[in-house]
Amino acid sequence: MKSVLGAVAASSFVAVAILLLSWTIYFVELNSSAYDFALRLAGPVPPSSPVVIVAIDEDSLDRIGMWPWSRDKLARLIQGVSAGKPRAIALDLLLDNETSEDGDYALALAIANAPPMVLATRLDSVDGVELWRQPLGIFIQKGVLLGHVHAEPDFDGISRQVFSLKAGEGRVVPAFAIQALHAAGLEFKSDFEQKAGGAELIRPQAINIRFAGDQNTFRRVPAWRVLEGSADAGEFKDQIILIGFTAEGLGDEWFTPFAIGQKKTSGVEVHANVIDTLYAGRVITEVHALALLAALGAFVLLLWWLNHRFEGWRSYVAAISTGPLLLALSWLFMKYFHLWFPFPPFWTAIVFVVPGLEVANRIRVSRDLDRKIERLSSGWITALTAFQSQTQAASERRNRLFGRRRRNSRWKLDAIDFFNKELMQFLSFNNAILASIEDVIIVSDLEGHVVYQNIAAKGLQKYQMNPPDAPAYLASILDSGNFRPLFENVRTTTESVTVNFIPTRDGRRFYNVSILPIARSGIVITMHDATAQYELNQAKSDMVSLVSHELRTPLTSIRGYSDMLLKYDLVQDKGKTFLGTIINESNRLNQLIQSFLDIAYIESGRHKITKSDFEVGPMLKDLIGTVGPMAAGKQIAVQSAGADGIRVHADRLLIYQALINLVANAIKYSPAGTMVRIGVSDGNGGVRFEVADQGCGIPADELSKIFEKFYRRDNEETRDESGFGLGLAFTKEVAARHGGDVVVESEVGKGSVFTLSIPG
Ligand code: ADP
């Protein structure tokens, strides 16, 4: 919209400029030639007015005598013409000088007896004063009209118009042709004559002559024929007879649009043309300047649109082809409407506007290029900074490029080359990364059409080069029914989904499949081969089953029967001691199995973590109560601090067990009479439990090992303490399951601090 408004404004401006230009002398000349051309193109028209020229031609001069002829001869000529009963006679000769009295009288008599007559007059400047050269008084009789015979050649010497009247010496004289029509009593339409209350008013106006043809268009009778009586008097009946020179060299010849560079047209023929133009209503009108301006504006707009619509040579062809069209339009107007539609301003518009638009286009493209380069250099390139290996060299090249002062089109091309190269390298870098990824990556558009697969995809059993549809493709690879609802879900919610351990169709491999949306433009599917993990889980799960069934069941029997033996007193003295050992050891074994299962359960994922929001204080109170007898046995005091009001979101049972492990260790591995402190603090949305003792401590090289399963330190202080080396491993697993951690700081001989942190 903005560009259209701009184009309208620019078109108006250009139209005004061209119109102003078309009033300069060169254009006036051009326009005049175009006018003549259009007129000639429109072609001659058959004269429609009753005009006959009685020509004083070369033959007449040969036969009758050299000019000037005596007034007697002119009198005879008029008598001869009058005999044919014409409507009017218009004499295109100046009768302003006196000759012999007899001769003048004879002519006056002939005029008196002739039909209505028009005599010629003209304004001549004598010593800078304009004076009418008019017929002698004796010729100006009643009913004789005077008409001015001024032809008005344009600056190029071509007569195209006459003035409806000429004013001078306080008198106004209508044109010769107008007077001839009046004398003949023929009506004609004009806008320069008005009848007002019986009087006729005539306005000064240029009358553009619609020439009927070249110099021999109107009927002609040589003057000598009339004088020698060989003319057919019938030819003059009801005609307007124009008497004048057609012979060359008598000073009354003019160039017209039909006779340029060829033979000139005689003055009398020009008058005949004017009579015909007026009589037939063929005065050539001109397009109004404002209408022309509007048309020009519209045309420039059209050129703009063509340039917009067709780029390059097509727009030139389209613009140039309007040239002949305009000419045809001009011809049409001239021929059928006698309207001069000047096409040169429009041609000028083509000449100036088409290259102008092209230049404007170039400038716009160049500016656009500048902006794009700027954007590439600032924003875009930052995206490439991840592209480490290239950054150094590229930034040097970039600095060199942008350090250049002269930013001509060469520079712009260099810049484009630079970015092109950068992007290409970046792309191949990215491709290399994608190719090196072992996970399968499949990208689809939002409709599900697969648009990309990485190299790893080729290893898929049912790999297809051009799979049409991502959900169907997945379904063909994996044995998990329909992926379409999942897809839809990701597409509509734009939230990613991950499904673990989906078997392939042959059941040999297992994949973790993630479906992720990318900025509302597509969907990425990643498939991670989790077969090994699946198998490990499977093995763990199998082991848990084994331990819990195959070990526990016989152990329960051993315990049960041992208990029965003791209860029913079935063994004696020494046997009882052995039985006590059996029961103790099977209890220990049971504990070991329980501890092992505790870990195995959560590791295998069988133990589902059920989080709740609970207060830490009461839990610690329970805990201290539980370890109370054990602590009392070693005279160790257990204290807790900072738990008031602190809540945590976690699996209460697991946290309790994890903490029991830490506190029990603290008691176990501390000498009698020491103290165990349980500190609680919260912050950053999580809770930290600190269990600090004053025990034997752990050497630095063993700090990381103590969290391993079945790892027990073998030293004097701890040797006597029972345990399986599973407590800390369990605590670690619980922390990990909550997204937290357990760490230890310790100093040998001084004590240890275990910190269990659980995020919120
Ligand atoms: P267990 O206590 O059954 O041996 P744990 O996994 O709980 O197994 O502990 C592993 C080892 O870490 C212990 O054998 C002990 O040597 C060491 N340890 C644990 N807690 C402490 C502590 N508070 N002070 C000193 N050593 C400790």
Side-chain angles (χ1 to χ4, degrees), residues 584-599:
N584 276 344
E585 286 306 305
S586 56
N587 275 344
R588 241 169 69 78
L589 196 58
N590 197 30
Q591 267 174 28
L592 170 65
I593 290 172
Q594 190 54 52
S595 303
F596 173 76
L597 282 180
D598 284 345
I599 297 185

mmCIF file of all heavy atoms in Angstrom, residues 584-599:
data_model
loop_
_atom_site.group_PDB
_atom_site.id
_atom_site.type_symbol
_atom_site.label_atom_id
_atom_site.label_comp_id
_atom_site.label_asym_id
_atom_site.label_seq_id
_atom_site.Cartn_x
_atom_site.Cartn_y
_atom_site.Cartn_z
ATOM 1 N N ASN A 584 21.462 -66.990 64.362
ATOM 2 C CA ASN A 584 22.126 -65.679 64.201
ATOM 3 C C ASN A 584 22.580 -65.452 62.761
ATOM 4 O O ASN A 584 22.341 -64.395 62.174
ATOM 5 C CB ASN A 584 23.350 -65.589 65.130
ATOM 6 C CG ASN A 584 22.929 -65.149 66.515
ATOM 7 O OD1 ASN A 584 21.815 -64.642 66.687
ATOM 8 N ND2 ASN A 584 23.780 -65.387 67.504
ATOM 9 N N GLU A 585 23.251 -66.507 62.244
ATOM 10 C CA GLU A 585 23.795 -66.343 60.895
ATOM 11 C C GLU A 585 22.680 -66.213 59.867
ATOM 12 O O GLU A 585 22.782 -65.426 58.913
ATOM 13 C CB GLU A 585 24.716 -67.536 60.540
ATOM 14 C CG GLU A 585 26.053 -67.497 61.250
ATOM 15 C CD GLU A 585 26.806 -66.197 61.055
ATOM 16 O OE1 GLU A 585 27.050 -65.788 59.884
ATOM 17 O OE2 GLU A 585 27.142 -65.522 62.071
ATOM 18 N N SER A 586 21.587 -66.997 60.081
ATOM 19 C CA SER A 586 20.512 -66.853 59.089
ATOM 20 C C SER A 586 19.847 -65.489 59.226
ATOM 21 O O SER A 586 19.403 -64.892 58.243
ATOM 22 C CB SER A 586 19.498 -68.001 59.173
ATOM 23 O OG SER A 586 18.979 -68.095 60.466
ATOM 24 N N ASN A 587 19.819 -64.940 60.466
ATOM 25 C CA ASN A 587 19.304 -63.575 60.624
ATOM 26 C C ASN A 587 20.188 -62.581 59.859
ATOM 27 O O ASN A 587 19.707 -61.682 59.173
ATOM 28 C CB ASN A 587 19.282 -63.176 62.099
ATOM 29 C CG ASN A 587 17.992 -63.655 62.766
ATOM 30 O OD1 ASN A 587 17.037 -64.005 62.056
ATOM 31 N ND2 ASN A 587 17.968 -63.699 64.076
ATOM 32 N N ARG A 588 21.500 -62.751 60.021
ATOM 33 C CA ARG A 588 22.449 -61.869 59.335
ATOM 34 C C ARG A 588 22.245 -61.964 57.818
ATOM 35 O O ARG A 588 22.203 -60.946 57.098
ATOM 36 C CB ARG A 588 23.895 -62.258 59.687
ATOM 37 C CG ARG A 588 24.667 -61.131 60.379
ATOM 38 C CD ARG A 588 25.965 -61.652 60.924
ATOM 39 N NE ARG A 588 26.910 -62.009 59.857
ATOM 40 C CZ ARG A 588 27.636 -61.113 59.184
ATOM 41 N NH1 ARG A 588 27.523 -59.818 59.443
ATOM 42 N NH2 ARG A 588 28.473 -61.518 58.257
ATOM 43 N N LEU A 589 22.116 -63.272 57.401
ATOM 44 C CA LEU A 589 21.921 -63.474 55.956
ATOM 45 C C LEU A 589 20.621 -62.795 55.490
ATOM 46 O O LEU A 589 20.578 -62.164 54.430
ATOM 47 C CB LEU A 589 21.869 -64.976 55.674
ATOM 48 C CG LEU A 589 22.054 -65.381 54.209
ATOM 49 C CD1 LEU A 589 23.389 -64.859 53.691
ATOM 50 C CD2 LEU A 589 22.024 -66.917 54.079
ATOM 51 N N ASN A 590 19.633 -62.909 56.317
ATOM 52 C CA ASN A 590 18.349 -62.277 55.978
ATOM 53 C C ASN A 590 18.502 -60.758 55.869
ATOM 54 O O ASN A 590 17.971 -60.112 54.951
ATOM 55 C CB ASN A 590 17.313 -62.643 57.043
ATOM 56 C CG ASN A 590 15.907 -62.377 56.527
ATOM 57 O OD1 ASN A 590 15.682 -62.472 55.321
ATOM 58 N ND2 ASN A 590 14.989 -62.058 57.415
ATOM 59 N N GLN A 591 19.277 -60.216 56.832
ATOM 60 C CA GLN A 591 19.517 -58.762 56.782
ATOM 61 C C GLN A 591 20.249 -58.369 55.510
ATOM 62 O O GLN A 591 19.936 -57.385 54.858
ATOM 63 C CB GLN A 591 20.362 -58.346 57.982
ATOM 64 C CG GLN A 591 19.534 -57.895 59.164
ATOM 65 C CD GLN A 591 20.436 -57.637 60.369
ATOM 66 O OE1 GLN A 591 21.607 -57.290 60.220
ATOM 67 N NE2 GLN A 591 19.905 -57.857 61.562
ATOM 68 N N LEU A 592 21.278 -59.215 55.198
ATOM 69 C CA LEU A 592 22.058 -58.932 53.989
ATOM 70 C C LEU A 592 21.135 -58.937 52.768
ATOM 71 O O LEU A 592 21.179 -58.027 51.931
ATOM 72 C CB LEU A 592 23.160 -59.986 53.842
ATOM 73 C CG LEU A 592 23.917 -59.984 52.517
ATOM 74 C CD1 LEU A 592 24.700 -58.681 52.365
ATOM 75 C CD2 LEU A 592 24.870 -61.166 52.447
ATOM 76 N N ILE A 593 20.310 -59.970 52.698
ATOM 77 C CA ILE A 593 19.396 -60.067 51.557
ATOM 78 C C ILE A 593 18.475 -58.844 51.511
ATOM 79 O O ILE A 593 18.255 -58.241 50.461
ATOM 80 C CB ILE A 593 18.583 -61.374 51.629
ATOM 81 C CG1 ILE A 593 19.517 -62.563 51.359
ATOM 82 C CG2 ILE A 593 17.434 -61.364 50.625
ATOM 83 C CD1 ILE A 593 18.872 -63.913 51.583
ATOM 84 N N GLN A 594 18.021 -58.443 52.701
ATOM 85 C CA GLN A 594 17.112 -57.302 52.762
ATOM 86 C C GLN A 594 17.808 -56.030 52.252
ATOM 87 O O GLN A 594 17.271 -55.305 51.416
ATOM 88 C CB GLN A 594 16.610 -57.094 54.197
ATOM 89 C CG GLN A 594 15.475 -56.071 54.310
ATOM 90 C CD GLN A 594 14.318 -56.430 53.382
ATOM 91 O OE1 GLN A 594 13.817 -57.566 53.412
ATOM 92 N NE2 GLN A 594 13.915 -55.500 52.521
ATOM 93 N N SER A 595 19.046 -55.826 52.733
ATOM 94 C CA SER A 595 19.790 -54.629 52.309
ATOM 95 C C SER A 595 20.026 -54.668 50.806
ATOM 96 O O SER A 595 19.862 -53.662 50.097
ATOM 97 C CB SER A 595 21.157 -54.559 52.994
ATOM 98 O OG SER A 595 20.997 -54.582 54.374
ATOM 99 N N PHE A 596 20.420 -55.843 50.348
ATOM 100 C CA PHE A 596 20.694 -55.978 48.914
ATOM 101 C C PHE A 596 19.425 -55.686 48.093
ATOM 102 O O PHE A 596 19.457 -54.964 47.092
ATOM 103 C CB PHE A 596 21.211 -57.401 48.648
ATOM 104 C CG PHE A 596 21.360 -57.701 47.206
ATOM 105 C CD1 PHE A 596 22.433 -57.184 46.486
ATOM 106 C CD2 PHE A 596 20.412 -58.468 46.533
ATOM 107 C CE1 PHE A 596 22.552 -57.453 45.139
ATOM 108 C CE2 PHE A 596 20.532 -58.726 45.200
ATOM 109 C CZ PHE A 596 21.604 -58.223 44.487
ATOM 110 N N LEU A 597 18.328 -56.265 48.585
ATOM 111 C CA LEU A 597 17.076 -56.065 47.848
ATOM 112 C C LEU A 597 16.638 -54.598 47.868
ATOM 113 O O LEU A 597 16.122 -54.093 46.873
ATOM 114 C CB LEU A 597 15.962 -56.943 48.432
ATOM 115 C CG LEU A 597 16.018 -58.416 48.014
ATOM 116 C CD1 LEU A 597 14.867 -59.173 48.643
ATOM 117 C CD2 LEU A 597 15.996 -58.557 46.503
ATOM 118 N N ASP A 598 16.919 -53.962 49.028
ATOM 119 C CA ASP A 598 16.549 -52.538 49.104
ATOM 120 C C ASP A 598 17.174 -51.757 47.945
ATOM 121 O O ASP A 598 16.519 -50.980 47.263
ATOM 122 C CB ASP A 598 17.026 -51.927 50.431
ATOM 123 C CG ASP A 598 16.127 -52.343 51.586
ATOM 124 O OD1 ASP A 598 15.017 -52.843 51.281
ATOM 125 O OD2 ASP A 598 16.530 -52.160 52.750
ATOM 126 N N ILE A 599 18.466 -51.986 47.748
ATOM 127 C CA ILE A 599 19.153 -51.274 46.667
ATOM 128 C C ILE A 599 18.656 -51.753 45.308
ATOM 129 O O ILE A 599 18.310 -50.972 44.429
ATOM 130 C CB ILE A 599 20.680 -51.496 46.738
ATOM 131 C CG1 ILE A 599 21.215 -50.928 48.036
ATOM 132 C CG2 ILE A 599 21.355 -50.830 45.561
ATOM 133 C CD1 ILE A 599 22.705 -50.986 48.139
#
